[in-house]
Amino acid sequence: MKRPASGRVGVLIVGAGPTGLTLAIDLARRGVVCHVVEATERRAVNPRCNTTSARSMEIFRRLGLSGDIRRSGLPADYPTSIQYRTSLRGEEIFRIDLPSAGEVLASAGKDRWPTPEPQHRISQLFLEPVLERHAKSLPGLTLERGARLTGLRQDEDQVEAVVESAAGTRVLHCDYVVGCDGAHSAVRRHLGIRYQGVDAIREFVSTFVRSPELGRLAARDRAWTYWTYGRRPASIIAIDGRDLWLNHVAFDPGHDTEGEDPERLLREAVGGPVEHEVLSVVRWTGRRLVAERYHEGRVFLAGDAAHIWIPVGGFGMNAGIQDAATLAWMLAAVHHGWAPADLLTAYELERKPVGEQFARAVGRAARASLADVSPDIHLPGADGARARAELARRLAATEPQRYSPDGFSFGYHYAGSPLVIGGADQVAIDMGGYEQRAQAGFRLPHVWLDDTRSVLDVLGTDFTLLRTDTGIEVTAWTGAAGELGIPLTVVDLPGLPPDRYPGPLLLVRPDQHVAWIGGADARPGELLRTATGRFVSQQR
């Protein structure tokens, strides 16, 4: 167990899940001392999220973690395909063929995807140890398990956090506190912040099993997820590609799942008995909830503490990782003194609209994907074939974007943020909608510079001025940044395609989002002040 050397903490992070660990790693790499407290002594045995999105993988690439993560999870040769069947042993209805991790790595440096880091199928069971191992290796970052937040008081200058552990109760004096402690967040409870939204979309029973026989059945036609349609829709998910499997079964909202036998549910999904050992059973409710506020004073919420929704598209955990990437650079900028504390108010202004739009889009996708299925799909002969063909047509319309939700990875934005100059009005975010073109407020589009380097790889740690026309003088930019104390890296890439980067100068934030696009007539001092929260530019 690691504890801070004294009662003074730069940033206290409550919760050591993917959101909290990502935030801690990002802060530590930016030179901000932080301490993580986690109430549980050991990680949960339930797999929970099983997909790390392309945008999360890009964030992990920036943190130097994507290689270790991609080598974890399913075996390198295991396909990440999706199959839809009457049962695992029954008739195939529809399929989405997707590559294995090995195939993704073999195609690195090629323009197959709009990202240097395509999504990766990895259970939290395997992701969290990678993050925790890396976190423990970083100077300035301490992690304490078995420590629970029991009190929170703040004033203009600090936050006092009361932490209880086996060693006793102590008070930590913190510059900032971030609650990454999940749906039952103690931090949110101490702030008196409530969720808003839909309290129940579906009820679920999730059974985690060890079953070599399931592995042998799947080996006949391997897939990452098998959707089956027995009494209720179910998804059988490969966790390690061998013996570990997760069976999710969905029920209507309000259904009493306590009366549902996990053994029967597994038999229905498989299409008969299968030898297995139950490792855990979780009965839970898929919701669509967003916190009414993401911060109060010096205390912030991120991840499930700020938003929870039914896991269609796998974007609960991934939205939390995006929260962490946004909040980390802002906290670091304030900590190092090159941005005012007012900058931090932009965290909620940027991330809460994204959370609300994700929640609505996920709710729509869940209703479409989990709509009732005709029992005729189980009939023999022509009637059954017709019913299965009709379902296949429906799945072809609803499912592909759900399993490659590029809109959620590359289409979310901060165009309306006070830190963004020239952000235009945008349509609502959806799973499939995005443009592979630089826009103010959006993540900078990817393009390969050579076989191993993406344009995202050459950006500076803090702000970057990307110059696609080297004939434009940038001494006014470097001079203004120096006067303001803002770390600014100038990167010259004159060969970038103009249809993707439609301006000779692009100001890119530390989180790889574009703050401004323009040319030689820019007013650098005003733009840098706006992008770091010193005032809202009149250019917007």
Side-chain angles (χ1 to χ4, degrees), residues 75-80 98-105:
D77 65 347
Y78 199 95
T80 59
L98 295 169
S100 68
E103 289 169 325
V104 169
L105 289 171

Side-chain angles (χ1 to χ4, degrees), residues 194-199 288-293 352 356:
R194 296 176 297 177
Y195 283 133
Q196 296 174 326
V198 180
D199 202 44
R288 195 197 79 194
L289 300 171
V290 178
E292 57 189 353
R293 301 190 306 281
K352 188 169 187 285
E356 291 170 339

Side-chain angles (χ1 to χ4, degrees), residues 366-377:
R367 286 190 292 272
S369 292
L370 298 175
D372 290 341
V373 171
S374 169
D376 291 353
I377 64 169

Side-chain angles (χ1 to χ4, degrees), residues 449 453-460 464 466 489 491 493:
L449 304 178
R453 292 185 312 154
S454 164
V455 66
L456 298 174
D457 298 333
V458 300
L459 300 177
T464 300
L466 186 60
T489 301
V491 174
L493 293 174

